[in-house]
Amino acid sequence: MGVATALAKSRWWPAVVVSFLASPVIAQDVPAGRPLDMYIGYAAGGGYDAYGRLVARFLGDFLPGKPKLIPKNMPGGGGRVLAGFIYNAAPRDGSALAMADQSLVLQQAIGDPTILFDTTKLNWIGNPAADNNTIAVWHGTGVKTFEDARRREVVIGATGPNTSSQMAQLTNALLGTKFKIVTGYPGGNDINLAMENGEVGGRASAPWATWKATRPDWVRDGKIVVIAQIGLSRAPDLPDVPLLTDLAGNDGDRAVVKLVSAPATIGRPVFTAPGVPAPVVATLRKAFTAMVQDKVFNEEAAREKLDINPVSGEELQKIVDDLVATPKPVADRLATIFKSQ
């Protein structure tokens, strides 16, 4: 079976994506003098889109020839459609960059059969924003604390089989919450509208920086209540909100919770295809590092209320490798939790 046929039969791959397989795999340098593609794995209006478009506006200024980056949204499968396209079909010349869901690495670590690619073979360029995820509920639910969520059902909106649903699955299984999960929303902005309209009561894995950037009035006016944060250390401006690791009842549960907390460092990752020549990857990583240190870039991020807490491509590659190499008993327990819901 050819690659195109296999992808066409995959439930994550719309036919339009398969047409990209005709793209030539050529070139050995970052293409100069023509635009590069910056693919974003979610619909317009959400946090990934905001960071992806910010990177697209600035990264080319630090590359040879100062190419323009054209942002293109490719939502589907919780980032799987985009990651699969980059892995299987994108040119191997550094001309196709992508930003997709941080949870894809974790999904590979726990053996998710819908991950039809190896995240360790992608070339990771950098992350502009390592940031804790949050469990946040709409003020109208009456839920004020994590303890309240253990006593009262809250409907959680999610995009698909990624952190947007899985954090709720995890807390239901290990920490006693009563979240009811509704999946199928195209992106975070759609879930926000559903919260505002009363369709759902909250989100179980929305980055804190995204709330501050895309809904600053909700944060300011208390329209959302952050009841827990997901990461390895508390956000400086959420000192009184517990980490999920604080809420785990024993060491075994804590090890599983720590595993799902690690992807917060992956954040909003920028990556390119396997097989891109090492000098090209090095050029892209160098440009990314220069970009996140640039005064104008940081001023624009501040204007858009996008926190910048960068992770280099080299660091990101190591984090990905380490996460995929998680001890099997811990990964298997987490996989069982996700499959049982």
Side-chain angles (χ1 to χ4, degrees):
M1 182 187 294
V3 175
T5 303
L7 293 177
K9 290 184 176 181
S10 170
R11 64 191 179 100
W12 295 113
W13 280 78
V16 67
V17 175
V18 178
S19 69
F20 279 108
L21 288 170
S23 300
V25 180
I26 57 174
Q28 293 298 309
D29 299 307
V30 177
R34 66 179 174 88
L36 309 183
D37 292 319
M38 179 67 200
Y39 292 98
I40 302 164
Y42 283 99
Y48 280 93
D49 187 63
Y51 277 101
R53 289 176 184 275
L54 178 68
V55 171
R57 287 202 302 276
F58 283 90
L59 185 61
D61 292 342
F62 302 91
L63 287 168
K66 296 190 175 182
K68 181 178 180 181
L69 271 69
I70 301 175
K72 298 180 178 182
N73 295 87
M74 190 185 284
R80 288 162 174 76
V81 168
L82 173 54
F85 163 64
I86 294 294
Y87 188 84
N88 291 292
R92 268 55 171 165
D93 60 2
S95 65
L97 300 171
M99 180 179 287
D101 197 280
Q102 62 183 240
S103 73
L104 298 177
V105 182
L106 174 62
Q107 293 307 118
Q108 180 180 345
I110 64 174
D112 184 339
T114 70
I115 301 297
L116 305 176
F117 42 83
D118 183 353
T119 59
T120 66
K121 293 182 180 178
L122 294 168
N123 283 294
W124 299 85
I125 305 306
N127 163 30
D131 180 45
N132 284 0
N133 290 315
T134 62
I135 299 176
V137 297
W138 191 246
H139 66 100
T141 63
V143 171
K144 303 294 185 184
T145 67
F146 193 84
E147 287 301 320
D148 289 342
R150 284 170 161 159
R151 295 188 289 264
R152 184 181 306 180
E153 181 180 274
V154 177
V155 179
I156 294 294
T159 58
N162 51 42
T163 54
S164 66
S165 61
Q166 291 163 345
M167 293 303 103
Q169 293 176 340
L170 178 77
T171 60
N172 283 349
L174 295 185
L175 305 179
T177 53
K178 301 181 183 299
F179 294 133
K180 179 181 178 180
I181 306 163
V182 176
T183 62
Y185 291 94
N189 193 49
D190 303 276
I191 304 173
N192 291 346
L193 292 174
M195 290 171 62
E196 202 167 24
N197 294 333
E199 295 175 21
V200 301
R203 293 177 63 179
S205 184
W208 179 229
T210 297
W211 282 126
K212 293 186 289 183
T214 63
R215 291 294 188 274
D217 54 324
W218 288 11
V219 174
R220 181 193 65 224
D221 299 338
K223 290 189 175 182
I224 56 169
V225 181
V226 178
I227 61 173
Q229 53 185 313
I230 306 156
L232 301 180
S233 61
R234 295 191 188 196
D237 50 352
L238 290 175
D240 300 322
V241 177
L243 291 163
L244 286 191
T245 50
D246 299 330
L247 298 164
N250 57 63
D251 290 344
D253 290 352
R254 194 168 294 108
V256 176
V257 172
K258 186 175 180 181
L259 173 60
V260 299
S261 299
T265 307
I266 296 174
R268 308 300 194 181
V270 178
F271 56 90
T272 190
V276 173
V280 175
V281 174
T283 297
L284 290 167
R285 287 175 174 175
K286 182 178 179 181
F288 181 89
T289 298
M291 178 190 71
V292 296
Q293 294 173 350
D294 180 67
K295 179 181 178 182
V296 177
F297 171 83
N298 280 277
E299 287 175 347
E300 178 63 16
R303 189 185 69 79
E304 295 186 23
K305 297 182 172 60
L306 296 174
D307 287 352
I308 300 300
N309 182 22
V311 180
S312 73
E314 293 84 357
E315 292 175 288
L316 204 52
Q317 197 86 45
K318 185 178 187 306
I319 291 167
V320 170
D321 291 346
D322 290 347
L323 197 55
V324 171
T326 294
K328 195 172 186 306
V330 177
D332 285 350
R333 187 178 180 207
L334 182 59
T336 299
I337 290 170
F338 288 163
K339 289 175 184 176
S340 68
Q341 301 299 310

